Amino acid sequence: MARHGGGGSSSGDSSPPPGSPDSTTSTTSNPFSDRHEISPPPSPNPFSDFYAVSDNGSAMSLDNLDWQAQNLDNLGDGLATTSTNLGSHQATAEAYGAFGSMIASPLNTTISQGADTTKAAADAAANAAQKVRDSAETMRTTDSAITDDLNSIGQDNDVYQGPPGSSGGRPEGGDHRPGDTDGRPTDGQGDTVPPPPDVPGDGPMSPPPNATPMPNPDPRPIGDRIGDIRQQLGVNNDVGAVVVPTGNRPDGRPYTLDTPVMDLPPENRHGLTPEQQGMTLGEMMGYPPDLMADPDFAGTPAKDALDMQGGGAYNGDSNLLMLDDQHNDNATLMHEVGHARQNEHGFNNHNAQNTLLEYQNVLINENAHHGANGNPPRLSYQPPSGQPQTDWNGLRDYIQGNTVTVGGQQLTMNPAQRDQSLVLFNQIEQLTGPGGPYAGNGAQVRDNLIKEFFAKEKQLQG
């Protein structure tokens, strides 16, 4: 994600893409935006911050089905309350003076119809919640049957049982009595189950190993600067990059979403795959084919789409970052390549909550650049106004699965993002707690994070 949300302005009389991110009546969600939009993108989009079941492979997770059922219950309860409130309001002729008899009757009819429609929606939500629960119960029954079948299978001597002398994963030496598993789990037949393999990203990320000063402005090509930043951050893989000009093409037209990426000046492209070289800018941003087939939409200046993302974003699935040339500075590059570092360590928007990703990236990666260049560190990302919705311990409880009520809306964290989010949370706690490098501003950083975290959660689950 870009370092700063919003900002910038459109030039000329070009129109922004349909569906402003600040509009509650948006019919088209911009897949490049990390602002608080109302609805998720119309199709899975690799640049999106929004949680989508199809994005993270958790569609058949039992925890996820239970979570979805609870959300449907909450929706149904809200609609039922709305229906009751609508039905209790009836207009009287006296309230409208001489024309009261003409106004009250059709108005009451409209109110009743609205109440009936809302009640039908509430019933539909309740039915959907029950169907989700039925599916979850079927999965539990199936899983239990499979587990029973597996547990009834004895050890197969033809299956690899570990290296010679390992006794099938049991420790060598000492007396190993029947039933004695030394505290390790068994497979149901008394055989020791080997421990699971290590998973990348289970530990906190260390500070960048080689942060050094960088000139500003920096005239070097973007590929050279990315190579420098990769070395500073300890990023192993190259990161592709596209810099979208905010000016016009040689023919006087702006660079629009249907512009082939290879039409950009060579210095605005770095490390693209052959497939990416054949894309338009809109395709590279993840806009779906039906939108790109609309000439008006496809003719939108690409800089306007990036402007709604704060000037740039990082796509972990393709290890690609996109910037406009107004945000092609080293601090922004450090932030975006910092997301590539997170990705290599096993943290991404599929398995971790976006606000925690952004804050950890700012505190660990981007601020290393600021420190090396003598600039003050950033202490927030895009915090909304108001008071924190809970305290720091309440945020931890929420990440671990507890429900939190914000503005009358019950929120429960996506189960697929809890584990890695807790790793990020714990590192931010160390950084902002006693003895940490941000201890002096720890309370401010935490309050900012909590406010933005629940604003994002409320928008995702709304």
Side-chain angles (χ1 to χ4, degrees):
M1 295 302 102
R3 295 169 53 246
H4 304 284
S9 61
S10 302
S11 61
D13 56 359
S14 58
S15 300
S20 165
D22 296 321
S23 170
T24 57
T25 58
S26 172
T27 58
T28 306
S29 181
N30 167 32
F32 224 85
S33 176
D34 62 359
R35 294 189 187 180
H36 307 304
E37 293 182 7
I38 298 305
S39 59
S43 67
N45 162 46
F47 271 92
S48 177
D49 287 339
F50 296 102
Y51 163 67
V53 171
S54 59
D55 282 347
N56 57 32
S58 60
M60 296 304 291
S61 161
L62 283 170
D63 284 343
N64 221 320
L65 288 174
D66 291 338
W67 182 67
Q68 296 289 1
Q70 182 60 57
N71 283 342
L72 286 167
D73 280 339
N74 295 341
L75 175 63
D77 291 344
L79 289 170
T81 299
T82 301
S83 174
T84 301
N85 291 340
L86 280 172
S88 66
H89 287 78
Q90 292 292 304
T92 61
E94 292 79 7
Y96 295 93
F99 298 98
S101 59
M102 298 172 59
I103 295 174
S105 178
L107 181 57
N108 286 332
T109 299
T110 301
I111 292 174
S112 297
Q113 290 173 343
D116 292 343
T117 300
T118 307
K119 180 61 168 63
D123 293 340
N127 290 336
Q130 186 57 51
K131 289 180 180 179
V132 171
R133 286 196 171 87
D134 291 344
S135 297
E137 186 58 34
T138 299
M139 286 183 63
R140 285 190 177 89
T141 302
T142 302
D143 287 352
S144 178
I146 292 173
T147 301
D148 291 343
D149 289 342
L150 290 174
N151 286 339
S152 68
I153 299 174
Q155 187 180 64
D156 188 345
N157 291 327
D158 293 331
V159 177
Y160 178 66
Q161 297 296 322
S166 70
S167 302
R170 290 186 292 273
E172 298 185 54
D175 296 327
H176 188 82
R177 296 179 297 277
D180 182 3
T181 64
D182 300 321
R184 288 183 297 278
T186 66
D187 62 2
Q189 298 295 318
D191 296 315
T192 304
V193 177
D198 292 335
V199 178
D202 281 348
M205 290 170 56
S206 61
N210 305 304
T212 56
M214 299 180 72
N216 185 34
D218 192 336
R220 293 178 297 166
I222 189 171
D224 292 350
R225 291 187 291 132
I226 287 177
D228 186 349
I229 291 172
R230 283 178 52 215
Q231 194 276 334
Q232 292 187 44
L233 294 179
V235 174
N236 296 319
N237 300 314
D238 197 7
V239 182
V242 170
V243 179
V244 176
T246 54
N248 290 334
R249 301 160 56 111
D251 60 7
R253 297 172 52 244
Y255 290 88
T256 52
L257 293 177
D258 56 3
T259 299
V261 69
M262 295 306 288
D263 282 2
L264 298 180
E267 62 270 20
N268 289 48
R269 311 185 304 262
H270 168 72
L272 301 183
T273 66
E275 179 184 7
Q276 291 167 343
Q277 292 174 13
M279 292 181 176
T280 64
L281 292 175
E283 290 168 339
M284 186 167 283
M285 291 180 188
Y287 285 110
D290 56 337
L291 280 179
M292 291 302 297
D294 180 349
D296 291 335
F297 183 86
T300 299
K303 64 181 179 62
D304 289 349
L306 277 176
D307 182 58
M308 288 193 290
Q309 184 68 3
Y314 169 77
N315 176 356
D317 294 333
S318 57
N319 200 32
L320 171 75
L321 63 89
M322 296 187 74
L323 307 167
D324 65 38
D325 58 13
Q326 300 300 306
H327 294 83
N328 186 17
D329 58 272
N330 287 331
T332 299
L333 275 182
M334 182 71 77
H335 181 99
E336 300 303 341
V337 178
H339 282 307
R341 184 176 190 235
Q342 289 178 318
N343 200 27
E344 287 190 358
H345 283 258
F347 300 94
N348 54 60
N349 67 328
H350 301 310
N351 63 23
Q353 205 267 3
N354 180 71
T355 307
L356 293 169
L357 282 169
E358 294 297 347
Y359 270 77
Q360 194 262 10
N361 187 27
V362 168
L363 298 177
I364 286 286
N365 298 316
E366 183 189 328
N367 279 345
H369 169 83
H370 291 309
N373 286 275
N375 300 325
R378 290 183 68 197
L379 303 176
S380 65
Y381 186 64
Q382 294 174 318
S385 59
Q387 296 298 315
Q389 296 86 344
T390 184
D391 59 16
W392 192 246
N393 290 329
L395 176 57
R396 178 192 292 106
D397 291 343
Y398 177 81
I399 294 171
Q400 293 176 326
N402 288 0
T403 298
V404 169
T405 301
V406 177
Q409 179 181 348
Q410 283 194 326
L411 304 176
T412 305
M413 185 157 178
N414 171 15
Q417 296 182 339
R418 290 175 186 167
D419 290 346
Q420 293 296 70
S421 292
L422 188 59
V423 176
L424 296 174
F425 173 91
N426 287 336
Q427 182 168 26
I428 294 170
E429 182 174 66
Q430 293 172 359
L431 293 169
T432 58
Y438 299 92
N441 302 102
Q444 177 187 351
V445 173
R446 293 182 181 190
D447 283 356
N448 290 340
L449 190 156
I450 291 169
K451 288 189 289 185
E452 185 172 358
F453 182 100
F454 283 107
K456 173 66 74 173
E457 288 292 284
K458 194 171 189 295
Q459 173 255 320
L460 289 175
Q461 299 181 38

